[in-house]
Amino acid sequence: MQKNKLTLSVQYADPRLKESVPRTLIRRWIQAALFAPAELTIRFVDAEEGRTLNRDYREKDYATNVLTFAYNEEGKDSEATQADIILCTDVLEKEAKEQKKPLSEHAAHLIVHGVLHAQGYDHEDEEEAVEMEALETEILAGLGFGDPYADRR
């Protein structure tokens, strides 16, 4: 399978996951979820920055696990998908512990989820959610991870 061109910036504004979720793994996870060339930034933030971004851009006053800021839709503005994907370290760690999953497995899921959002996938209605979740499950299985939605099925 041919890999799509990826320009990647990884920012550890919150450095806690720098060693356990390194750039090499992030690149591998992103490549597995890419269907077109992309220019992406992955940024790890603390709860305060995550809450501020979620409040300012989504009008939801809490830190969430992943936020995707997609700057173009496929086929518009340029060939490459362009997006910033923000992961909140505090929420990621809390969810991994609650779900009894390794931190890297949960990080992989959230990054794949964010990359799919960047490419236009969504889960606003039931049909979209089923499609997106199936795609995430397939991609993660290809990376050697279990079904992230198994406990809900």
Side-chain angles (χ1 to χ4, degrees):
M1 181 170 81
Q2 185 176 341
K3 291 182 180 179
N4 286 295
K5 182 175 176 8
L6 172 62
T7 302
L8 175 63
S9 172
V10 178
Q11 301 173 354
Y12 295 94
D14 179 339
R16 287 179 283 171
L17 299 181
K18 191 169 187 170
E19 288 185 26
S20 59
V21 184
R23 178 186 171 87
T24 53
L25 283 180
I26 293 168
R27 177 175 281 282
R28 181 172 172 251
W29 299 335
I30 291 170
Q31 283 287 357
L34 273 186
F35 304 118
E39 299 169 8
L40 302 175
T41 297
I42 303 292
R43 180 175 173 85
F44 292 90
V45 301
D46 62 16
E48 182 180 352
E49 185 175 344
R51 180 179 183 175
T52 298
L53 289 167
N54 203 26
R55 183 186 62 231
D56 292 354
Y57 292 96
R58 295 181 63 230
E59 298 177 3
K60 296 184 179 190
D61 194 17
Y62 58 88
T64 189
N65 52 15
V66 61
L67 290 167
T68 301
F69 296 95
Y71 301 115
N72 62 342
E73 293 179 23
E74 195 174 330
K76 294 184 181 174
D77 300 330
S78 77
E79 275 188 32
T81 296
Q82 299 172 340
D84 292 335
I85 299 170
I86 314 299
L87 291 106
C88 181
T89 300
D90 294 292
V91 177
L92 195 155
E93 288 178 331
K94 179 178 175 263
E95 289 177 348
K97 187 176 182 181
E98 289 171 354
Q99 296 171 23
K100 297 176 177 63
K101 292 180 181 173
L103 188 64
S104 61
E105 182 173 341
H106 194 48
H109 176 219
L110 295 180
I111 288 171
V112 166
H113 185 86
V115 170
L116 291 177
H117 271 309
Q119 296 175 99
Y121 287 88
D122 215 334
H123 47 83
E124 291 301 313
D125 66 39
E126 184 65 26
E127 189 176 319
E128 289 177 336
V130 168
E131 178 185 5
M132 188 169 175
E133 289 176 9
L135 195 50
E136 288 173 45
T137 300
E138 180 183 327
I139 292 165
L140 290 166
L143 292 167
F145 297 118
D147 180 349
Y149 301 104
D151 61 338
R152 292 189 357 215
R153 296 180 207 246

